[in-house]
Amino acid sequence: MNTLRDDLHELAAHVPDVDLADLAIRGARRRSRVVRLSLAAAAAVVVGIAGGSVILLQQEVRRVPPVVLTPPETKALPLPEKGVAPVQQAYRPSCAEGCKQDGWRIVTQSGEIYQLPAGPGPVTATADGRRIAYYSVQSRGIVVRDLASGRIWKSPLKQPKEDFADEYALRMSPNGLRFIVSGWGGRRQPKMLVDVEQGTVEELDKGWWPVSVADGDGPVVLAKPYDNTTQVWVRGHKPVTIPDFTYAFSALNPDGRTLVRVGQVLRRTAPMVRRDGTIVIFDALTGATQKRVAVSGLPENMLPDKLGGWLTADEITLIAVEQSSTSGASEVAYAVNVRTGKARELFPLHAEGKYAVPGVVG
């Protein structure tokens, strides 16, 4: 990823050489001539004959100051102890080289922006946005926080912040009191199932990536992609194999067996695997495909990219990404009906840095 400094250098390389001082002087002289001509024209006599009298009208000419467009400043308030509306999305602003990293922020469904306590990732929220989980440096572990009441549950699993120096994933159950924390590529690679209400920690099998976790003692779903296939494992049942290399799953449906994945197609040219604008409903216990559904209601040139939690019995969260390489990727959250494929827009994602959308698997 290019830094802001790299982008500015690239832009500067394409700007023609000019003498800015000379340009400014010539501009000032040109403006001076325009002002003099305007004043002369305004002083002209407009003659009207009314009852034998001559009326002289003189128009005053005023210089209009130039319009300066300043980008709006995004201000984040400290997170209040309680009374916070549900989360719409969380984001971590991009940080150019040498700047101070401000950490994660949350945007609420009512539009407020709050700064989370300083600390490394991860940050996530329950699918309804009412509870969030984040790493607390003070507690040396992940805490779960109810935004309305302010109640905090501390993880019984103590972790150094170095655990989150590389890639990680955090999956919350619908009520937020159970979560999976999984990391890879760093000094340690924790894969733990944590219940903050019961105060328990269970180590999960290594090599499996967390998809979703249910409340209480409900099912845990893990995945393991291979070259052209992926194994999906609802713990307590045998793993099943699907004919795609993918991480793009929804959370498990409350029925305990229905999963949805983003549809894709194999091609002979790069990229070899490409989203095809569909979602695929399948049985996570048997691997049987139930239905492939074309997604409608997305703007042209946008395709499904990630899926998330269940908003209703038939709707899940979907993240669509613009495929154009010229305009840069823009991402928008939708709710999509898995039976009909009809998508309705929820909100655009914050344009800078990392982001996290409640309930999204990614």
Side-chain angles (χ1 to χ4, degrees), residues 201-221:
V201 178
E202 179 186 350
E203 186 172 4
L204 299 174
D205 296 66
K206 297 188 182 301
W208 291 86
W209 185 76
V211 174
S212 68
V213 54
D215 293 333
D217 59 355
V220 172
V221 184

Side-chain angles (χ1 to χ4, degrees), residues 36-75:
R36 288 198 301 270
L37 289 173
S38 299
L39 291 174
V45 177
V46 179
V47 180
I49 301 177
S53 63
V54 177
I55 302 175
L56 302 180
L57 301 178
Q58 182 172 351
Q59 179 182 353
E60 180 184 3
V61 176
R62 298 178 182 177
R63 272 187 73 186
V64 178
V67 177
V68 179
L69 298 177
T70 303
E73 181 182 359
T74 301
K75 293 184 178 180

Side-chain angles (χ1 to χ4, degrees), residues 294-335:
V295 177
S296 61
L298 302 182
E300 187 178 354
N301 202 36
M302 294 195 79
L303 291 173
D305 184 61
K306 296 177 182 178
L307 301 174
W310 293 80
L311 304 174
T312 68
D314 294 326
E315 281 190 321
I316 56 174
T317 306
L318 178 149
I319 305 299
V321 177
E322 185 177 2
Q323 300 301 298
S324 172
S325 58
T326 57
S327 61
S330 62
E331 298 171 272
V332 180
Y334 291 84

Side-chain angles (χ1 to χ4, degrees), residues 126-200:
T126 54
D128 62 9
R130 298 181 183 276
R131 290 176 177 172
I132 61 174
Y134 57 91
Y135 182 82
S136 167
V137 174
Q138 183 178 6
S139 298
R140 293 191 66 249
I142 293 170
V143 298
V144 176
R145 182 170 183 162
D146 186 282
L147 293 172
S149 69
R151 182 176 177 181
I152 292 178
W153 293 265
K154 296 181 180 180
S155 170
L157 174 65
K158 300 304 178 185
Q159 296 179 267
K161 64 181 180 180
E162 288 77 17
D163 276 4
F164 308 106
D166 291 273
E167 295 186 88
Y168 48 77
L170 180 61
R171 301 282 179 266
M172 295 182 77
S173 67
N175 69 8
L177 300 182
R178 200 170 177 227
F179 65 79
I180 298 174
V181 58
S182 175
W184 56 93
R187 182 174 60 87
R188 301 199 311 163
Q189 299 184 15
K191 292 190 186 314
M192 302 291 184
L193 173 63
V194 180
D195 190 316
V196 296
E197 190 172 40
Q198 301 297 325
T200 60

Side-chain angles (χ1 to χ4, degrees), residues 232 234 237-242 257 282-290:
V232 177
V234 179
H237 302 270
K238 292 183 178 180
V240 299
T241 301
I242 60 173
R257 62 188 312 146
F282 69 100
D283 189 316
L285 302 186
T286 66
T289 299
Q290 297 175 1

